[in-house]
Amino acid sequence: MARAQQHDYDDIPGTFVFDAERSRQGFGINMFCMSLMKDENRKAFKANEAEYLKKFNLTSEQTEAILKRDYNRMLELGGNIYFTAKLGATDGHSFQHLAALMTGSTQQDYAAMMLAGGRSVEGNRSRSGKNTPSKFLSAEPAKKATAKKAVKAKAKAGKARVSKPKSKAKSQKRK
Amino acid sequence: MARIVAGVGPSHVPAIGAALDLGKTEEPYWKRVFSGFEKSQAWMRECKPDVAIVVYNDHASAFSVEMIPTFALGCAAEFPPADEGWGPRPVPVAKGHPALASHIAQSCILDEFDLTICNKMEIDHGMTVPMNLLFGKIEKDGQWPCPVIPLAVNVVMYPPPTGHRCFMLGRAIKKAVESYPEDLRVVIFGTGGLSHQISGPRAGLINSEWDKHFLDNLSGNPQKLVKIPHIDYMREAGAEGIEMVMWLIMRGALDDKVDEVYRFYTVPASNTAVGHIILENKARKTAAKPKAKPKAAIKHKRAAARAKVDRVRA
Ligand SMILES: [Fe+2]
């Protein structure tokens, strides 16, 4: 769906950021999902889905996405995952079922990926090729930087060579 | 004078609550998660706070899309667990601390943090799961060990408050607590994260390297963390991982120098990397005051307790 404005975060692949624009467009989807917190509403929805959805002032695309359980499309049209998850729960699905659906994999494969440490960020940062890690990750913590400076200063002062201090971060890696 | 003595940062994954409620804590998958909090619970029993401020986010439970407050402070006398679609979690109703909460609200608002006041609110897993992780499992008809003050932060609709704003709010909360006349020991929770994305085709994203850097900098170098722009959180730690900014409120409410007394990290719990840290403010010198003696004794006991809590690095 065409966005009124482009944002830096639209460059993140496989992601629909729930911003003010989507929040406005998706008000009906999210209020529909919110209504499913009540048992009587869950029953009414299950009894006649299309009829129930008429109460929420949805666009035809939004209605179709809900009826088809197209979760990615719901997000694109302004649904938010914490809300759409309530639809999944109403259908009796676990959250992992929804996650697998959205990622286009089987639930088994998805669960296996998570157990193996999850989806890697490598290659998944950017649509436009901004795949270098955040500056925050590459910069050294200040403590480490000062420690290095101190070592340098000592070396300059002509004292015996000091072996590079192991950063706290590194030594913590070992269990 | 009231004082914040420590900050804790646990994740608030809903599946952790479900595992606890359904009695799955002994299953190997969940034991891996829960075992990381055994020492924290021992620490909390020793710490014995009089009040806990819990920074968390609501997940379409108390707030829908009708009203989206950026910072909402719970000033009510009690906070029932919310029905998140499966009936309320079987945990006790949390007692509030209306006197301290309204003092914090007043102090922060005059300090230019325009908090929303909630005199009636329900709390969801974002708050009850961290309470379980630190206080242990408590039956529905039991009682949480201390009153709580919820601080709900909007991290659902973009943009959440910036990391810097969160840190500064923490500073304002510290100032507020320290200007409260009653002697209270306060612990502050920052909850959520760590890296995770649960929406869209990129769901399942975990970035342990990011998480490690975040934890590494939290105690000694939070000024570096407050500069992280939202886009970096979302790219690196997942669209929902942006909720890590809430940890910076906790950090801001602590002293500049803190001791990291415990850390735990494991992947995954459901779709999320679980991170946990305990930071203690250093004991303040009270030597000149006549109260010094009993306080010193307490300090001693706490130091002994601290020694018992091994540093665990995962
Ligand atoms: Fe959350």
Side-chain angles (χ1 to χ4, degrees):
Chain A
M1 195 177 172
R3 302 267 275 149
Q5 274 181 58
Q6 285 300 307
H7 303 276
D8 54 358
Y9 48 80
D10 290 326
D11 180 54
I12 305 173
T15 303
F16 306 98
V17 175
F18 184 65
D19 59 7
E21 186 185 353
R22 287 210 173 94
S23 174
R24 179 172 51 76
Q25 289 169 344
F27 185 77
I29 300 181
N30 295 320
M31 290 309 285
F32 151 68
C33 292
M34 202 70 193
S35 78
L36 298 176
M37 299 269 279
K38 289 207 173 109
D39 192 48
E40 72 245 39
N41 293 339
R42 288 194 285 266
K43 281 183 184 139
F45 171 63
K46 281 298 197 180
N48 189 339
E49 297 198 356
E51 189 58 33
Y52 185 83
L53 288 176
K54 282 183 188 161
K55 292 195 278 187
F56 295 93
N57 210 6
L58 302 162
T59 66
S60 55
E61 294 151 298
Q62 289 174 330
T63 303
E64 193 188 313
I66 294 170
L67 292 175
K68 283 190 178 162
R69 305 295 193 269
D70 185 341
Y71 282 90
N72 284 329
R73 185 80 174 134
M74 282 182 239
L75 299 178
E76 191 180 359
L77 297 175
N80 172 273
I81 189 64
Y82 296 116
F83 291 78
T84 56
K86 298 178 194 296
L87 175 57
T90 299
D91 287 338
H93 295 312
S94 71
F95 191 83
Q96 233 167 30
H97 174 96
L98 298 193
L101 262 183
M102 288 184 285
T103 59
S105 53
T106 66
Q107 198 175 332
Q108 268 170 323
D109 288 350
Y110 181 85
M113 174 184 80
M114 290 319 299
L115 264 181
R119 183 187 308 284
S120 168
V121 73
E122 293 313 325
N124 283 315
R125 288 187 176 91
S126 164
R127 293 177 202 272
S128 66
K130 289 183 192 116
N131 270 312
T132 42
S134 156
K135 257 194 327 207
F136 162 73
L137 278 185
S138 51
E140 295 179 335
K143 261 192 195 163
K144 198 171 150 188
T146 9
K148 268 199 177 164
K149 251 185 211 166
V151 172
K152 260 190 193 167
K154 267 193 185 174
K156 263 190 184 170
K159 287 191 181 159
R161 264 210 173 178
V162 187
S163 62
K164 259 192 183 175
K166 251 180 213 152
S167 77
K168 218 182 177 188
K170 267 182 191 157
S171 58
Q172 279 165 9
K173 234 177 214 168
R174 277 178 226 126
K175 271 195 183 171
Chain B
M1 180 187 97
R3 196 187 160 218
I4 296 178
V5 293
V8 294
S11 294
H12 62 216
V13 186
I16 294 178
L20 198 65
D21 300 343
L22 300 172
K24 292 185 183 170
T25 51
E26 289 303 312
E27 291 178 9
Y29 181 98
W30 288 111
K31 206 173 168 70
R32 167 177 54 83
V33 175
F34 286 104
S35 63
F37 290 87
E38 281 163 12
K39 284 183 174 151
S40 323
Q41 290 174 17
W43 174 89
M44 190 58 98
R45 281 192 295 272
E46 289 288 338
C47 180
K48 275 205 183 83
D50 298 306
V51 188
I53 299 170
V54 184
V55 181
Y56 79 109
N57 72 284
D58 180 77
H59 305 78
S61 310
F63 305 111
S64 69
V65 275
E66 286 180 315
M67 276 175 273
I68 308 176
T70 294
F71 296 118
L73 190 72
C75 298
E78 55 177 41
F79 305 96
D83 182 348
E84 299 178 51
W86 304 268
R89 288 197 57 216
V91 294
V93 169
K95 298 272 177 260
H97 197 301
L100 178 59
S102 28
H103 171 83
I104 292 174
Q106 184 161 327
S107 173
C108 286
I109 291 170
L110 293 176
D111 234 347
E112 305 186 343
F113 284 89
D114 310 317
L115 305 182
T116 298
I117 312 295
C118 296
N119 287 319
K120 183 171 192 270
M121 94 195 265
E122 293 182 343
I123 50 176
D124 72 4
H125 70 264
M127 175 136 173
T128 57
V129 165
M131 286 168 70
N132 278 135
L133 288 175
L134 272 297
F135 297 136
K137 185 179 162 87
I138 298 169
E139 296 304 326
K140 201 179 155 209
D141 50 6
Q143 232 182 4
W144 294 109
C146 68
V148 294
I149 299 176
L151 174 62
V153 181
N154 165 49
V155 292
V156 171
M157 193 187 107
Y158 184 91
T162 64
H164 180 253
R165 184 75 176 152
C166 287
F167 188 85
M168 294 311 287
L169 174 60
R171 280 274 177 271
I173 290 171
K174 170 180 154 76
K175 188 173 149 191
V177 169
E178 289 177 358
S179 64
Y180 190 72
E182 196 184 334
D183 276 331
L184 294 174
R185 292 165 52 78
V186 180
V187 164
I188 183 163
F189 287 52
T191 72
L194 296 176
S195 61
H196 68 299
Q197 176 151 338
I198 59 166
S199 63
R202 202 176 69 140
L205 184 105
I206 299 279
N207 188 342
S208 298
E209 200 191 338
W210 168 277
D211 293 340
K212 192 176 169 328
H213 277 257
F214 189 87
L215 294 175
D216 283 349
N217 282 291
L218 195 67
S219 49
N221 197 13
Q223 287 310 327
K224 183 171 161 186
L225 301 183
V226 303
K227 292 184 197 132
I228 304 172
H230 283 345
I231 179 76
D232 284 34
Y233 280 102
M234 292 191 293
R235 262 196 225 282
E236 299 280 349
E240 283 73 38
I242 198 168
E243 69 185 20
M244 288 165 79
V245 293
M246 292 188 291
W247 287 47
L248 296 175
I249 299 180
M250 174 270 280
R251 183 61 188 91
L254 300 176
D255 294 347
D256 290 341
K257 289 208 169 123
V258 292
D259 291 322
E260 179 182 328
V261 296
Y262 184 65
R263 190 195 291 199
F264 173 65
Y265 183 78
T266 186
V267 175
S270 186
N271 305 280
T272 306
V274 172
H276 173 41
I277 205 163
I278 300 179
L279 304 174
E280 279 184 1
N281 277 340
K282 292 178 195 298
R284 281 184 197 166
K285 280 172 194 133
T286 49
K289 291 183 183 170
K291 265 187 184 172
K293 249 192 177 172
K295 270 207 178 157
I298 292 167
K299 244 190 266 169
H300 210 75
K301 227 171 102 188
R302 291 192 52 226
R306 205 174 304 147
K308 264 195 285 175
V309 179
D310 301 340
R311 285 167 172 260
V312 173
R313 310 283 186 195

